[in-house]
Amino acid sequence: MYHLWLYYGEFAALGIWGILLAISRRILFGGLCRDAAIEGNGGSPMRRAMALKYEKSAELGVEIRDVSAFVRKYLAQERRLRIRLLRWQTLPERWGGLALGVGFLEAVTLHYLGYGAIFCADRFLAAAAAAVLIRMACLWFESGSLWEQAEICFMDYVANTLVSHRQHVCEGFEEATVQEEQAGEGASKAESPFILKKEEEQLFQEVLTELLSSST
């Protein structure tokens, strides 16, 4: 057992670490999905942060036309365990590829140094076994559906809550502006007949005065 661990322990460690990465991704994406679905009382911290980012973009005059691109960009910038969520999508699979690549490189190097072909083949097969186990763990702890569900929930939140609310506020502001303009126009129209009436009375008095003076 000691010799097996001595010769193949590194690939066992690589395989175990890859399986832990697959489990961790499942847990992280599950939490992400729950945060995306939480409603009421301001929602989850991620929803509040997304709302703040949306409002900040609106204040800067950046128009958000593509909601899906806005959500994906936000998720791509988020970190979990100091690793971006976008990298977590493929991290376990990449680790499995790394284990396979290390095994192949070691097998070629050992063969070049004069080790037996069987020993070199065993090293490569151990790396291949670790990569296969990691791949099986990724399939078993499948997390792609959780990521898609989280994206859909965030897109629904942005499109039906943030965008709709802002449009409602803008429409209310435009209606109030139109009403003020109409009220201003009505007041100016009311003032203009009043001014005209005063001018007509003054003109009538001047004409009357001239007629009286000429008659005398």
Side-chain angles (χ1 to χ4, degrees), residues 6 12 28 32-33 68 116 125 134 145 154 156 160 191 194 204:
L6 180 64
L28 291 176
L32 178 67
C33 188
S68 61
L125 290 175
I134 294 173
S145 60
F154 278 125
D156 177 73
N160 296 324
E191 290 176 358
F194 180 73
F204 178 76

Side-chain angles (χ1 to χ4, degrees), residues 33-62:
C33 188
R34 288 192 297 271
D35 289 341
I38 292 178
E39 297 181 358
N41 298 326
S44 64
M46 287 194 69
R47 279 198 171 195
R48 292 194 293 270
M50 184 174 289
L52 181 62
K53 187 176 183 65
Y54 178 84
E55 293 297 332
K56 192 65 177 179
S57 301
E59 290 177 3
L60 295 175
V62 179

